[in-house]
Amino acid sequence: MDLTPPQPHEQQPAGPLAGVRVIDASTILAGPLCCQILGDFGADVIKIEHPVAGDSMRGHGRSKDGKPLWWKEISRNKRTIGLSLSDPDGAAVFLRLAETADVVVENFRPGTLERWGIGPEKLHEVNPRLVLVRVTGFGQQGPYASRPGFGTLAEAMSGFAHLTGQPDGPPTLPAFGLADSICGIAASSAAMMALYHRDLHGGAGQVIDMSLLEPILTAVGPGPLEYDQLGHVGHRHGNRSANNAPRNTYRTKDGRWVAISTSAQQIAERVLRLVGHPEVIDEPWFATGAQRAEHADELDEYVGGWIAARTRAEVLEAFTAAGAAVAPIYDMADISADEHVRATQMITTVDDPDFGPMAMHNVMWRMSATPGSIRFSGRELGADTDEVLVEGLGYDPERVAELRARRVVR
């Protein structure tokens, strides 16, 4: 059974979501990632952008020759149209699209779609089978529902920032869209659950209320449970863990860095034998990860001293031979050159009309019978408007031209 993802230029099966239509009316970053995943696995994704300003996602990340690079990945496999949803004629076009869709993903503030006359009730009036995924910072209900919601706020309020950083340093935010990315992956799963219920159990469409806060709150761990049962409030440990030791980043003789983990007792024992301190294994406190964590200073001294006397290559070779868990600390150049990343095609090459062959993340998981694929990279604003409206929905070309002249479409 070959689970290696095929290259995008090869002839591909239709994908497990062939025949599913998704309307991506979202921006920055969770909603678009959700739709990227669905598109990667065969869904026909129609990306809706403001006809004048475009999607603000186009302004995120670095550009080359004035063209945004991240857009090429986050909007891959998506046909794009320019459409003003706040204009009544644009809202009417949106409803026509929704009639043909299985999933709509949006991330406007609560009440915005309702104000434009295209809220859930109206959408389900024209298409009772529609799954509407609503992504916001804090959900559709509750005292914070109307607040602006960004991933940074979720990373702050979830406990992530509180638990991240050095013990004597400030709370630390990630340098990338962590909360958004977790939410986008979760939203794709939620959409599939709703489609499964609809199609396999005869259910109707439904509304999915997805906040940025809840998925990362879950990812941070069992803090609510521990606080409820023990009154425990976690704190920052730097690169250490409260659950096991040794667990840290360590600098090698040649100035590189490695990370090790000893979540399994057997691995912890292998590490201490490797670094020349097997006597520690017989200590009563070595028997559990939590007890080892209380002796992290001592264990880090043993492990860190051994690693500091060797090059990274020597450390990796010795740990691998001993069956101990180790990984180099990589930057993007290291990732691109890594033999495992290359062999499993975690990063693939996609032909782009602007830049030619360009590297990007491959589809996120492997399926033996219905693999995903990257059919094309992110397109120019309005590249597919005529195809979607004229050929797909039957609009008269003159009507489209009129709407385009009024900047309702592009």
Side-chain angles (χ1 to χ4, degrees):
M1 182 182 296
D2 182 10
L3 294 181
T4 301
Q7 289 294 310
H9 62 268
E10 296 175 352
Q11 188 65 35
Q12 297 293 330
L17 298 184
V20 172
R21 172 166 286 180
V22 177
I23 309 300
D24 181 1
S26 64
T27 186
I28 316 282
L29 160 69
L33 178 58
C34 167
C35 296
Q36 177 202 310
I37 294 169
L38 300 178
D40 284 351
F41 287 92
D44 172 26
V45 181
I46 299 174
K47 173 68 183 176
I48 293 177
E49 302 183 64
H50 189 278
V52 178
D55 188 329
S56 54
M57 192 74 209
R58 290 182 182 270
H60 277 241
R62 297 182 181 275
S63 296
K64 179 182 178 182
D65 300 332
K67 295 182 179 294
L69 291 174
W70 197 356
W71 180 263
K72 297 290 187 179
E73 178 170 323
I74 198 69
S75 289
R76 69 193 189 193
N77 296 330
K78 301 178 186 181
R79 296 189 286 165
T80 175
I81 70 172
L83 182 63
S84 175
L85 301 185
S86 62
D87 185 286
D89 287 332
V93 173
F94 180 75
L95 288 175
R96 287 280 303 277
L97 281 170
E99 286 184 61
T100 72
D102 297 282
V103 179
V104 168
V105 180
E106 64 95 7
N107 68 337
F108 298 102
R109 285 202 202 183
T112 301
L113 289 189
E114 290 83 349
R115 188 171 70 251
W116 292 338
I118 49 177
E121 290 186 6
K122 186 64 178 178
L123 290 170
H124 283 140
E125 178 184 317
V126 302
N127 184 355
R129 290 170 53 80
L130 183 71
V131 173
L132 175 61
V133 182
R134 313 196 77 177
V135 180
T136 57
F138 302 101
Q140 298 292 317
Q141 306 292 329
Y144 300 161
S146 62
R147 291 185 180 182
F150 297 99
T152 298
L153 309 186
E155 289 147 9
M157 294 179 65
S158 64
F160 175 87
H162 172 76
L163 293 173
T164 304
Q166 295 302 316
D168 56 351
T172 302
L173 295 166
F176 52 90
L178 179 63
D180 278 275
S181 297
I182 295 173
C183 181
I185 297 168
S188 70
S189 176
M192 293 312 304
M193 290 181 191
L195 290 177
Y196 183 90
H197 171 72
R198 186 195 73 177
D199 295 343
L200 273 296
H201 297 293
Q206 59 181 294
V207 178
I208 297 172
D209 184 1
M210 173 69 67
S211 78
L212 293 177
L213 181 57
E214 288 180 89
I216 190 172
L217 180 63
T218 298
V220 167
L225 176 63
E226 293 177 349
Y227 180 71
D228 175 69
Q229 294 296 305
L230 303 172
H232 173 75
V233 175
H235 58 276
R236 291 183 288 285
H237 298 276
N239 290 319
R240 289 177 172 175
S241 168
N243 300 313
N244 67 85
R247 189 266 200 181
N248 212 328
T249 59
Y250 306 90
R251 191 168 187 172
T252 62
K253 181 181 179 180
D254 52 350
R256 310 299 291 274
W257 291 84
V258 298
I260 72 167
S261 175
T262 56
S263 296
Q265 180 69 22
Q266 189 177 44
I267 299 296
E269 293 176 5
R270 290 174 185 171
V271 169
L272 269 297
R273 290 192 185 98
L274 174 64
V275 302
H277 287 278
E279 75 283 357
V280 180
I281 297 170
D282 296 326
E283 294 287 347
W285 53 261
F286 198 85
T288 68
Q291 287 178 298
R292 293 199 308 275
E294 295 175 0
H295 293 77
D297 287 342
E298 178 181 349
L299 295 175
D300 272 349
E301 182 178 349
Y302 295 151
V303 175
W306 186 91
I307 290 176
R310 291 160 176 81
T311 66
R312 187 174 77 170
E314 291 170 338
V315 171
L316 295 177
E317 181 180 1
F319 266 72
T320 301
V326 66
I329 304 293
Y330 273 171
D331 60 21
M332 198 61 243
D334 296 322
I335 295 169
S336 297
D338 182 84
E339 61 178 349
H340 183 79
V341 171
R342 294 170 70 89
T344 57
Q345 300 175 25
M346 292 182 189
I347 298 173
T348 191
T349 301
V350 177
D351 287 328
D352 178 76
D354 294 316
F355 302 123
M358 62 188 308
M360 64 175 65
H361 298 103
N362 211 330
V363 297
M364 201 175 293
W365 51 81
R366 295 152 176 76
M367 299 180 71
S368 61
T370 53
S373 65
I374 304 170
R375 300 176 293 284
F376 52 87
S377 57
R379 293 147 105 84
E380 295 292 331
L381 172 58
D384 304 288
T385 298
D386 289 331
E387 178 184 270
V388 171
L389 299 190
V390 178
E391 299 177 25
L393 297 182
Y395 273 83
D396 189 291
E398 293 182 359
R399 173 60 170 164
V400 174
E402 175 196 339
L403 294 174
R404 184 172 281 121
R406 293 173 41 216
R407 295 188 172 183
V408 177
V409 304
R410 179 170 174 174

